[in-house]
Amino acid sequence: MFLLKLISKNAFRRPLRAVLTIVGIMIALLAFGLMRTVLDAWHVGVGAASADRLVTRNAISLVFPMPIAHKAKIQAIPGVTLVAGGQWIGAYYQDEKNFFPNFAVDPEAYLALYPEYQVGDTEKQAFFRDRSSAIVGRKLASRFGWKAGDTVVLQSPLFPGGFTLHIVGIYTGKRRDTDETLLMFHLDYLFEAMRKLVPDMADKVGFYVVGIDDPSRSAAIARAIDNQFANSTAETLTESERAFIMGFIAMSDAIIMAIQIVSYVVILIILAVAANTMAMSVRERMAEFAVFKSLGFSAGFIWSMILGESMVISLLGCIAGIGLLFPTAAIFAHQLSEYFPYFIVSQTTVLMGLAAGIGVGLTAAVIPGWQAGQVPIAEGLRRMG
């Protein structure tokens, strides 16, 4: 009890210095948490990937299309339950800055393969019937103020001509990490437009989503698909949905690595700030520690007292930083929803922040505590004014 009373009083002996140190730790932990949340948002698609879905694309590159005739051949391979073709359009709404993910897909097969996109039966049937219709995610609809019944015109730098689409439904995500920023319309509508404008671009897709009956046989089924098209003019590369998404993320490896490094540098900055505060505090109180020792208190008691002060300051900053992380992340999620559809602080990030706070508190007290415990009584008393 006596030790706790000493710790609570000494931690704020210099109130301004203690508060500034706590604020520094709080800001650093807040920055660390936001950067970790950005990394989580980058990888959210990997977590949402399903084990019973494969993705087939052109073996050369994703930018090269495959003929729609591949679909029937893939569907005939044992173990394949359903196949949906898809094409990324790269379109924007009204202005190029209004970019968002949009795909032409096989409507019925695609929605069957992605049950996490939840849309009402009436809207779903309307989508299936009308080849110029589209369904959009809840967040995308909210961004542009779209609602069912609206007509929108999209322009694409990849495909000539505009796409006039009737929104017939708005889907919501079954899970928290489901992307609600997509627009989907009919692949047939795309083909029809290309046959009129650029026949060479018609009847081709950028990828196939392949449903399989047994995830444990995914590698064998993927090989069977690729063997089917070996030595053809459009050889394929089939991989799990998770590997396909990881391939996209790998294109941003340098950015991800930079964010990771900076997040750890932030922790080192916290450590330097806390260690400096404790070193200054101990240097100013050497005479006081000599008095403690002359009264019979051990070096271990003095070290415990300094460790306690360091932990109090570090944990207060840590708790404040984590407490601010949630509302700050909510603001980020609102402002950057078009880039990060899922921006939520994970439990892992909170635990990493707490571990960083505890680690900093412990480490910052090691050397100052050892110096205070080793100071000779006579030398310490000479420092008394």
Side-chain angles (χ1 to χ4, degrees), residues 16 62 67 92 141 158 186 193 197 204 215-216 233 242 264-265 340:
L16 179 60
L62 189 60
Y92 57 86
L158 305 177
H186 285 239
L197 300 172
K204 293 177 181 175
S216 67
T233 55
R242 179 186 176 85
Y264 293 125
V265 168
F340 298 110

Side-chain angles (χ1 to χ4, degrees), residues 84-270:
Q87 177 66 56
W88 180 59
I89 304 301
Y92 57 86
Y93 176 59
Q94 294 182 334
D95 190 284
E96 290 187 13
K97 67 180 181 183
N98 294 331
F99 176 79
F100 56 89
N102 42 80
F103 298 90
V105 299
D106 288 323
E108 296 185 40
Y110 199 80
L111 289 183
L113 285 167
Y114 286 92
E116 55 265 44
Y117 299 145
Q118 296 195 316
V119 60
D121 288 337
T122 304
E123 291 84 0
K124 191 182 291 184
Q125 293 305 319
F127 181 45
F128 295 162
R129 284 194 304 270
D130 183 359
R131 68 169 53 196
S132 64
S133 65
I135 59 172
V136 300
R138 179 182 59 85
K139 290 182 179 177
L140 181 62
S142 174
R143 177 184 172 190
F144 294 120
W146 292 342
K147 58 185 182 303
D150 285 353
T151 297
V152 300
V153 179
L154 304 184
Q155 300 291 338
S156 169
L158 305 177
F159 296 89
F163 297 97
T164 302
L165 303 169
H166 309 299
I167 297 175
V168 295
I170 295 171
Y171 75 84
T172 56
K174 185 177 182 179
R175 304 192 307 253
R176 292 180 68 190
D177 56 357
T178 301
D179 190 352
E180 295 180 330
T181 64
L182 305 180
L183 179 146
M184 291 170 271
F185 67 98
H186 285 239
L187 200 53
D188 287 342
Y189 182 71
L190 173 67
F191 291 163
E192 188 177 297
M194 291 304 102
R195 287 186 194 114
K196 295 176 183 174
L197 300 172
V198 190
D200 286 346
M201 296 178 71
D203 300 323
K204 293 177 181 175
V205 299
F207 60 88
Y208 288 105
V209 181
V210 181
I212 58 176
D213 59 359
D214 184 1
S216 67
R217 295 186 57 243
S218 60
I221 297 172
R223 280 196 301 273
I225 294 173
D226 293 339
N227 290 337
Q228 175 73 34
F229 304 108
N231 300 317
S232 71
T233 55
E235 294 187 346
T236 62
L237 173 63
T238 303
E239 53 198 347
S240 67
E241 188 179 43
R242 179 186 176 85
F244 179 73
I245 296 171
M246 287 296 291
F248 270 105
I249 294 174
M251 298 177 189
S252 307
D253 258 358
I255 297 174
I256 293 172
M257 181 63 71
I259 295 174
Q260 284 179 329
I261 291 173
V262 172
S263 70
Y264 293 125
V265 168
V266 167
I267 298 299
L268 293 178
I269 293 173
I270 304 173

Side-chain angles (χ1 to χ4, degrees), residues 32-53:
F32 173 78
L34 287 175
M35 282 187 277
R36 298 304 309 180
T37 305
V38 168
L39 292 174
D40 289 342
W42 220 297
H43 290 85
V44 68
V46 177
S50 172
D52 59 4
R53 290 194 295 251

